[in-house]
Amino acid sequence: MTENTQQQTAPTTELPTQYAPAEVEGPLYERWVERGYFEADAKSEKPPYTIVIPPPNVTGSLHLGHAFEHTLIDALTRRKRMQGFETLWQPGMDHAGIATQNVVERELAKEGKSRHDLGREAFVERVWQWKAESGGQISGQMKRLGDGVAWSRERFTMDEGLSQAVQTIFKKLYDDELIYRAERIINWCPRCLTAISDIEVEYQDDDGELVSIRYGEGDDSLVVATTRAETMLGDTAVAVHPDDERYKHLVGRQIKLPLTDRTIPVVADTHVDPEFGTGAVKVTPAHDPNDFEIGQRHNLPNLAVMDERAVITAHGPFQGLDRLEARSAIVAALRAEGRIVAEKRPYTHSVGHCSRCKTTIEPRLSMQWWVKVGPLAQAAGDAVRDGKVKIHPQEMEKRYFDWVDNLHDWCISRQLWWGHRIPVWYGPDGEVVCVGPDEQPPTGEGWHQDTDVLDTWFSSGLWPFSTLGWPERTESLEKFYPNSVLVTGYDILFFWVARMMMFGLYAMDGTPPFHTIALHGMVRDQNGKKMSKSFGNVVNPLDWMDTYGSDAVRFTLARGANPGVDVPIGEDWVQASSKFANKIWNATRFALMNGATVEGELPDPSEMSATDRWILSRLNKTVAEVDAFYDDYQFSKLSDALYHFAWDEVFDWYVELSKTTFFAGGEGARVSGRVLGEVLDVMLRLLHPVVPFVTETLWTTLTGGESVVIADWPKDSGFRDAAAEQEIALVQRVITEVRRFRKEQGLQDAQKVPARLTLDGTALAAHEAAIRQILRLQPEGEGFSATASLPVAGATVALDLSGTIDVEAERKRLAKDLAAAEKEKAQAEAKLGNEAFLAKAPDNVVDKIKGRLAKADEDIARIQTQLATLPQA
């Protein structure tokens, strides 16, 4: 067994009769923080174990997704801390550019003001003020959950150190010609008034309209179809496939663009699918990414016809209309001219929406800053291919490669005021100067800084090393980089993980930011449905914590966590986890009151009963099992293993089987009390990373140790006792069979029944007292009549049920069971006697049928014996 090396005080066996999480959790967490258990020392000689928190938005509050992810990270770091690692769980928050700016702008709107009324500097100051007063409430909620983060190291993506890191890497990328400025089509949000990246666009099926419009006249006409009729005002060509015979006579010619005074060319481009629709497509280079590429190939002009709010700017009767108003008006005008060939509405199609405000995205030609991701993405892909970084579960690798191997250049500029301002200055004569953190920006008349800020993911992509002091070569950076593992959801594999991989490899001389990427799924409701306010199924985890305690919420989430798979959760499951926490409390309290202790050496196995040796054997197997599951990030399996060991084997079997020993007192009770203390000590340490609060209270009470947070993680001692496990398995079989029989007879659990136990010559003999106590079996006494007899495990349990059962009803029940067993036997024998079946059936199928036959024979013998022992009518 393992030894706890902490200094111990005399343990106390006093525990309140009821576990009250609300009274325990807050004070315990404050004590842990005050004692510095979660802090990390860069000077320590212990091996490092580092995990960064996926930084929540400063605008956010704890939701179930946070609680889920934090539970898994906390479990990993608590275990590693107990294993002797210098453990750093790095906390912090993201400035969340668009989200935070939106919050503060809404606050200003209540005052009848906009950010433009304040001006840039005053507005940014207002955001900092909001952060100081209202932002970061999630930190307190993380403490409620029990997050063991190094609070003294908390960082914010806009603090001075991280801002220096952002400016440093921008300058480095710029100097290496990996950052450039260019006019391209971007995703534009007319509500947030900024560009957003591809991964910030959410696609959903919307009902729109598909209109087919005739361009040109007579033989020189063709038909195009569009869901965005308003963009036709910006068309600069119609494209057809070069091999499409229908349109070869038109290629290179000009045709009339309806509703305008312009003519536009017909161009041939292989991008066009001649089998789709009419085989002709309108080309609007300033308002569609594919059209932009066609325009580049054919030197077409880029004609923007909408402003930043998606209002039509093209001259004519539609100028000043919102895009949706213009769409209806343009279709009506085309219809009036006889230009509409076909209309389909509703026409369901996939439409991009801003992930933050849900506004429909407008593709827009815009001058923006870009990262040339080619070489960076290549390195990020190779790091996984070469085995430097492992993705868990491995089947998620394909999704990762599909993304990084096809990554487009990244638009990093945002038209916001809150964020890291782009460190580029423009001069009066067209000069462009990128300024590093230690450089002075140019001054003088006509010089001004770029007004855009950087995409939030640009700064959060530096998180694994910027939080450790980079670009300075700090002790923390040397000690804790790279991270040991990144635990995050598969949904931000592209948002955040790929960014960190690219930047980490680039900035840290080819060293990836983490060794392992452990991906988990999304939390869903108990029916597997996505949680959404619109569905009315969103749950505030704080409400569940108030009702059931944080341990119950944590255990429920961990028990549902299969790698890369979504996690359904319902209140019933949290309630069940609360019962588990209470079971641990009540059973440990009972054990402490009845001799469980960690004092003194563990007795030699020769002094122990088979029950003692069995539970120690099962304990060590559980330690090994839990370790293997942790190393494979199988949180669900390790939680299940701990649940069944604690509830089933320790409390329901070992404690019950040992009660007669404890009640008898003497040497046997002393030995079993020490064994039970050992089992509880190890079990509570195993449970601690997942359910930290209840285990802290119970473990310190049991052992007198300072804290289970800094206790040693249990090790498998190698102790196994197969004979004891087989012996207790027989005892369990007898008890389970008799319990089943009693239940079938409608006997109450507490109802005592006279019984004769024929156990001589079996391994069961030593357990008669425990069997009788658990099953409420009285000595047979005078006038005993065996009205039922159960042969099981080589023994016989004869029961006197006179006056307690309906003999005739019991005879009918047994006869029915016998007929079913005989039918099962006949079917198994028929299959095993069929040579054709045996020749084709796999070995495992044949073995299964042989097992069914053996079970049927056993059931027949048991039922026949029971029938024979029933009193005659």
Side-chain angles (χ1 to χ4, degrees):
M1 293 293 100
T2 58
E3 288 186 9
N4 172 31
T5 57
Q6 292 186 70
Q7 184 176 357
Q8 296 183 348
T9 59
T12 173
T13 59
E14 294 182 6
L15 283 171
T17 55
Q18 298 291 328
Y19 177 50
E23 298 175 11
V24 169
E25 293 173 353
L28 276 186
Y29 190 86
E30 289 304 317
R31 189 184 313 156
W32 292 335
V33 172
E34 288 170 4
R35 293 178 178 179
Y37 293 155
F38 305 141
E39 296 302 323
D41 183 2
K43 293 183 169 60
S44 169
E45 295 183 1
K46 296 178 182 178
Y49 186 79
T50 314
I51 297 181
V52 293
I53 194 171
N57 287 354
V58 68
T59 59
S61 60
L62 191 74
H63 57 63
L64 268 178
H66 290 128
F68 173 56
E69 188 168 77
H70 291 197
T71 293
L72 305 187
I73 299 174
D74 198 40
L76 290 173
T77 53
R78 284 179 183 268
R79 172 177 175 255
K80 284 296 182 180
R81 187 179 295 111
M82 296 171 76
Q83 286 182 316
F85 286 77
E86 191 62 33
T87 303
L88 169 61
W89 182 8
Q90 174 66 54
M93 285 181 290
D94 192 283
H95 66 278
I98 296 177
T100 305
Q101 180 157 318
N102 284 348
V103 168
V104 178
E105 285 196 84
R106 284 196 295 269
E107 292 296 314
L108 283 174
K110 294 176 184 177
E111 304 170 15
K113 298 178 181 177
S114 74
R115 60 182 164 123
H116 300 285
D117 293 324
L118 272 66
R120 184 167 193 145
E121 288 188 13
F123 176 77
V124 170
E125 182 58 37
R126 179 69 176 261
V127 180
W128 278 108
Q129 180 184 340
W130 174 87
K131 177 189 178 293
E133 295 173 357
S134 307
Q137 63 174 320
I138 197 170
S139 297
Q141 296 165 349
M142 287 165 58
K143 295 175 181 178
R144 283 283 312 277
L145 187 64
D147 287 3
V149 300
W151 286 112
S152 69
R153 292 173 173 265
E154 187 174 13
R155 303 303 298 269
F156 179 55
T157 52
M158 286 280 286
D159 68 25
E160 183 178 353
L162 271 66
S163 294
Q164 183 183 27
V166 167
Q167 196 171 352
T168 299
I169 202 162
F170 187 99
K171 171 71 171 173
K172 180 174 171 59
L173 288 163
Y174 182 88
D175 290 346
D176 288 345
E177 298 183 347
L178 292 173
I179 280 183
Y180 63 95
R181 192 169 184 244
E183 189 176 43
R184 291 186 177 179
I185 291 285
I186 47 88
N187 302 300
W188 181 265
C189 176
R191 158 63 183 80
C192 297
L193 299 179
T194 182
I196 64 174
S197 65
D198 292 343
I199 51 179
E200 293 170 299
V201 178
E202 293 179 347
Y203 287 90
Q204 66 184 46
D205 288 339
D206 287 357
D207 285 339
E209 61 180 353
L210 179 68
V211 293
S212 297
I213 310 168
R214 180 170 52 86
Y215 284 22
E217 305 295 340
D219 292 339
D220 291 345
S221 69
L222 38 67
V223 175
V224 298
T226 182
T227 58
R228 301 166 66 219
E230 69 279 9
T231 63
M232 69 163 290
L233 300 176
D235 286 359
T236 56
V238 173
V240 298
H241 193 275
D243 299 331
D244 196 330
E245 293 293 336
R246 293 171 294 176
Y247 303 118
K248 277 195 172 181
H249 69 290
L250 289 176
V251 173
R253 296 176 62 179
Q254 296 281 324
I255 62 171
K256 179 76 164 57
L257 178 65
L259 305 183
T260 72
D261 295 326
R262 294 190 291 119
T263 60
I264 57 177
V266 177
V267 299
D269 197 281
T270 54
H271 172 77
V272 180
D273 180 1
E275 303 298 324
F276 184 77
T278 65
V281 297
K282 58 191 287 298
V283 181
T284 321
H287 292 280
D288 184 276
N290 293 320
D291 292 3
F292 177 78
E293 297 296 329
I294 294 174
Q296 293 290 100
R297 289 192 288 270
H298 298 276
N299 297 313
L300 299 175
N302 301 315
L303 182 58
V305 295
M306 276 181 261
D307 68 11
E308 62 182 7
R309 298 184 184 276
V311 172
I312 301 297
T313 58
H315 292 295
F318 311 109
Q319 186 175 11
L321 295 180
D322 172 78
R323 56 183 167 169
L324 298 181
E325 296 172 335
R327 182 176 302 171
S328 299
I330 287 171
V331 170
L334 289 167
R335 190 183 299 114
E337 289 192 5
R339 293 283 176 178
I340 300 296
V341 175
E343 296 181 67
K344 184 178 181 179
R345 61 171 67 87
Y347 177 73
T348 303
H349 61 133
S350 182
V351 177
H353 295 260
C354 174
S355 62
R356 290 176 176 83
C357 72
K358 312 308 177 187
T359 301
T360 299
I361 289 302
E362 188 62 45
R364 185 169 188 252
L365 187 64
S366 180
M367 182 68 75
Q368 302 285 344
W369 284 94
W370 304 81
V371 171
K372 187 184 296 182
V373 300
L376 303 175
Q378 177 70 42
D382 289 345
V384 176
R385 289 188 183 92
D386 299 343
K388 290 181 180 178
V389 178
K390 297 186 183 302
I391 294 180
H392 186 87
Q394 190 173 2
E395 54 265 28
M396 287 284 181
E397 283 186 2
K398 183 179 183 303
R399 295 182 65 175
Y400 177 78
F401 291 137
D402 286 346
W403 178 257
V404 297
D405 292 347
N406 298 285
L407 201 56
H408 298 292
D409 283 2
W410 171 20
C411 176
I412 56 171
S413 45
R414 298 292 180 267
Q415 289 64 56
L416 304 171
W417 287 355
W418 173 246
H420 295 281
R421 195 165 173 180
I422 289 176
V424 171
W425 272 255
Y426 305 105
D429 298 318
E431 302 96 330
V432 179
V433 177
C434 180
V435 177
D438 299 322
E439 300 171 351
Q440 291 296 320
T443 57
E445 186 176 349
W447 282 94
H448 63 281
Q449 186 178 0
D450 196 300
T451 57
D452 288 351
V453 301
L454 288 162
D455 178 11
T456 299
W457 298 104
F458 190 95
S459 52
S460 61
L462 314 180
W463 193 248
F465 51 93
S466 63
T467 52
L468 298 173
W470 187 90
E472 301 298 325
R473 281 285 173 178
T474 63
E475 286 184 320
S476 290
L477 188 66
E478 296 292 337
K479 178 73 174 179
F480 296 113
Y481 187 91
N483 287 196
S484 306
V485 60
L486 173 73
V487 179
T488 192
Y490 64 70
D491 57 315
I492 59 171
L493 182 62
F494 317 129
F495 283 87
W496 189 44
V497 179
R499 309 305 192 211
M500 288 189 290
M501 285 287 283
M502 290 191 295
F503 281 167
L505 288 160
Y506 174 73
M508 298 301 292
D509 303 320
T511 302
F514 17 74
H515 298 301
T516 301
I517 301 168
L519 298 170
H520 58 72
M522 309 284 287
V523 179
R524 297 182 176 270
D525 72 12
Q526 59 191 12
N527 300 312
K529 193 172 184 179
K530 180 180 178 180
M531 288 192 174
S532 166
K533 290 180 180 178
S534 61
F535 296 153
N537 61 353
V538 174
V539 173
N540 183 348
L542 297 171
D543 292 340
W544 280 352
M545 285 188 234
D546 289 341
T547 305
Y548 302 108
S550 298
D551 283 335
V553 174
R554 290 171 61 114
F555 192 73
T556 304
L557 292 165
R559 204 172 179 193
N562 289 299
V565 178
D566 288 346
V567 183
I569 184 172
E571 187 168 4
D572 289 350
W573 304 336
V574 183
Q575 189 175 21
S577 295
S578 175
K579 290 179 180 177
F580 177 55
N582 285 319
K583 179 73 172 180
I584 298 170
W585 182 276
N586 294 330
T588 303
R589 183 173 178 273
F590 172 86
L592 288 168
M593 293 171 62
N594 287 275
T597 180
V598 295
E599 295 181 353
E601 294 294 321
L602 194 65
D604 189 84
S606 62
E607 302 177 52
M608 299 177 188
S609 67
T611 308
D612 294 333
R613 297 194 304 277
W614 163 75
I615 197 61
L616 290 176
S617 183
R618 289 297 309 132
L619 175 67
N620 278 281
K621 284 185 177 180
T622 301
V623 171
E625 195 174 41
V626 168
D627 272 334
F629 288 144
Y630 261 117
D631 292 340
D632 198 35
Y633 305 100
Q634 297 279 359
F635 295 97
S636 177
K637 291 182 178 179
L638 73 89
S639 298
D640 260 352
L642 288 168
Y643 176 90
H644 290 296
F645 176 73
W647 195 308
D648 300 345
E649 297 186 301
V650 178
F651 301 140
D652 280 359
W653 282 113
Y654 180 73
V655 170
E656 292 300 318
L657 287 171
S658 300
K659 278 182 178 178
T660 54
T661 301
F662 288 131
F663 296 161
E667 183 61 15
R670 185 194 69 79
V671 171
S672 292
R674 180 63 187 88
V675 169
L676 180 53
E678 180 76 8
V679 171
L680 291 176
D681 173 16
V682 173
M683 183 195 77
L684 292 170
R685 282 186 276 154
L686 288 174
L687 281 165
H688 173 71
V690 181
V691 284
F693 294 107
V694 67
T695 51
E696 170 79 340
T697 305
L698 295 175
W699 187 85
T700 52
T701 301
L702 169 71
T703 67
E706 180 184 336
S707 173
V708 71
V709 176
I710 54 172
D712 293 334
W713 181 253
K715 295 179 181 178
D716 175 9
S717 72
F719 178 79
R720 302 289 191 275
D721 194 321
E725 291 200 38
Q726 290 173 357
E727 184 172 325
I728 300 304
L730 292 176
V731 175
Q732 291 172 325
R733 189 173 162 194
V734 169
I735 292 172
T736 300
E737 186 64 29
V738 176
R739 275 178 172 164
R740 183 191 66 80
F741 179 77
R742 287 177 60 113
K743 185 176 182 180
E744 290 172 350
Q745 304 310 309
L747 298 177
Q748 298 297 316
D749 290 343
Q751 187 171 349
K752 295 181 179 179
V753 178
R756 177 188 299 133
L757 275 58
T758 307
L759 308 175
D760 294 343
T762 72
L764 296 166
H767 302 279
E768 179 169 354
I771 292 171
R772 283 188 177 277
Q773 168 143 346
I774 292 171
L775 293 172
R776 305 294 193 270
L777 302 180
Q778 293 179 313
E780 51 193 278
E782 188 176 344
F784 176 83
S785 175
T787 58
S789 182
L790 285 77
V792 58
T796 302
V797 179
L799 304 173
D800 184 354
L801 302 177
S802 303
T804 63
I805 65 168
D806 183 333
V807 174
E808 189 57 34
E810 177 64 8
R811 192 182 301 281
K812 288 180 180 179
R813 185 190 68 80
L814 288 172
K816 183 178 178 181
D817 288 351
L818 180 61
E822 288 173 338
K823 181 180 179 181
E824 175 74 4
K825 178 180 180 180
Q827 290 175 340
E829 286 178 334
K831 286 189 176 182
L832 294 174
N834 185 333
E835 294 297 333
F837 170 77
L838 293 176
K840 296 179 180 179
D843 290 344
N844 65 319
V845 173
V846 175
D847 290 342
K848 187 175 181 180
I849 294 172
K850 288 180 179 178
R852 284 169 50 192
L853 177 59
K855 177 69 165 53
D857 281 334
E858 183 181 319
D859 288 345
I860 289 168
R862 172 178 56 80
I863 296 167
Q864 287 174 337
T865 301
Q866 289 178 254
L867 282 167
T869 57
L870 283 175
Q872 298 300 313

